């Protein structure tokens, strides 16, 4: 009798936790898709103001969402075609991390042949990649996958690669 009640309670709790996790993930996805929409819309507007030819709206654009925890949980959306530099120098990097173990210009994330790549910029302490249980120091350039963790200094950045349908613009 008690075992049945405990099993039912465990199943209900597992369902509630699953529901919360799924809705949390959906809310996070909506947040970074919304940020990508605003960013791409601003780029299209800037191009229109410069009288540049508009892009074809029937393509998928690769975007990157980086999130990490320091004092607060943070996440930002970037267009890897523009390049994303990570380092300590605020004037030369899109992500500025004020930590002694991080070089002024530590690493860069960019689009290479349609795939996301990362390259260490000869940093003092190196850039590390964790893919699943495998952690290694970055040597030269390497492709990134969604779910990879980039480790610079004491900070772990989680990579989410997603495509944005340009038909929405």
């Amino acid at each position: 009798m008690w075992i049945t009640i405990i099993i039912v309670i465990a199943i209900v709790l597992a369902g509630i936790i699953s529901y919360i996790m799924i809705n949390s993930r959906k809310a996070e996805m909506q947040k970074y898709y919304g940020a990508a929409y605003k960013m791409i819309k601003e780029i299209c507007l800037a191009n229109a103001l410069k009288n540049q030819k508009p892009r074809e709206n029937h393509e998928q654009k690769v975007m990157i969402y980086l999130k990490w925890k320091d004092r607060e949980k943070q996440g930002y959306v970037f267009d890897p075609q523009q390049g994303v530099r990570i380092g300590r120098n605020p004037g030369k990097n899109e992500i500025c991390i004020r930590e002694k173990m991080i070089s002024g210009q530590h690493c860069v994330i960019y689009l290479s042949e349609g795939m996301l790549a990362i390259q260490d910029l000869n940093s003092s302490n190196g850039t590390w990649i964790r893919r699943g249980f495998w952690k290694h120091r970055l040597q030269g350039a390497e492709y990134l996958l969604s779910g990879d963790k980039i480790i610079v200094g004491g900070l772990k950045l989680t990579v989410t690669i997603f495509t944005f349908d340009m038909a929405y613009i």
Side-chain angles (χ1 to χ4, degrees):
M1 169 89 174
W2 287 104
I3 295 175
T4 307
I5 293 172
I6 291 171
I7 291 172
V8 169
I9 290 172
I11 292 171
V12 169
L13 285 175
I16 291 170
I17 291 170
S18 297
Y19 177 78
I20 290 170
M21 289 176 65
I22 289 169
N23 283 334
S24 167
R25 176 80 174 123
K26 283 182 183 177
E28 185 177 44
M29 283 177 63
Q30 286 176 335
K31 187 169 107 176
Y32 62 73
Y33 272 97
Y37 174 78
K38 287 178 187 175
M39 177 189 300
I40 293 168
K41 195 172 177 182
E42 286 177 13
I43 291 169
C44 290
L45 179 61
N47 288 343
L49 291 173
K50 293 177 188 175
N51 288 327
Q52 291 181 350
K53 184 181 174 185
R55 307 175 100 206
E56 284 292 319
N57 282 345
H58 303 294
E59 61 185 60
Q60 299 283 320
K61 182 164 183 62
V62 175
M63 301 293 285
I64 179 172
Y65 174 60
L66 297 173
K67 72 175 180 179
W68 64 92
K69 284 185 184 178
D70 48 9
R71 284 176 239 128
E72 353 178 310
K73 188 175 180 181
Q74 298 186 43
Y76 295 96
V77 173
F78 294 97
D79 179 356
Q81 260 183 330
Q82 309 296 320
V84 180
R85 290 176 303 279
I86 301 171
R88 197 174 60 228
N89 186 333
K92 296 184 178 181
N93 298 292
E94 284 73 30
I95 298 176
C96 177
I97 304 166
R98 299 292 190 151
E99 194 176 294
K100 290 180 183 178
M101 292 181 65
I102 297 177
S103 300
Q105 290 182 294
H106 199 92
C107 62
V108 62
I109 300 170
Y110 58 96
L111 210 53
S112 172
E113 298 175 8
M115 293 185 63
L116 201 62
I118 184 168
Q119 183 171 358
D120 187 81
L121 299 173
N122 298 320
S123 63
S124 303
N125 296 309
T127 303
W128 295 76
I129 304 292
R130 169 164 272 156
R131 184 170 291 145
F133 295 113
W134 185 50
K135 177 180 168 183
H136 65 281
R137 187 174 181 153
L138 190 60
Q139 302 293 328
E142 184 176 321
Y143 289 118
L144 283 172
L145 302 174
S146 206
D148 283 354
K149 300 217 182 329
I150 302 167
I151 303 165
V152 287
L155 196 65
K156 292 178 186 170
L157 297 100
T158 302
V159 176
T160 302
I161 302 167
F162 65 101
T163 55
F164 186 86
D165 188 355
M166 294 297 286
Y168 288 112
I169 299 295

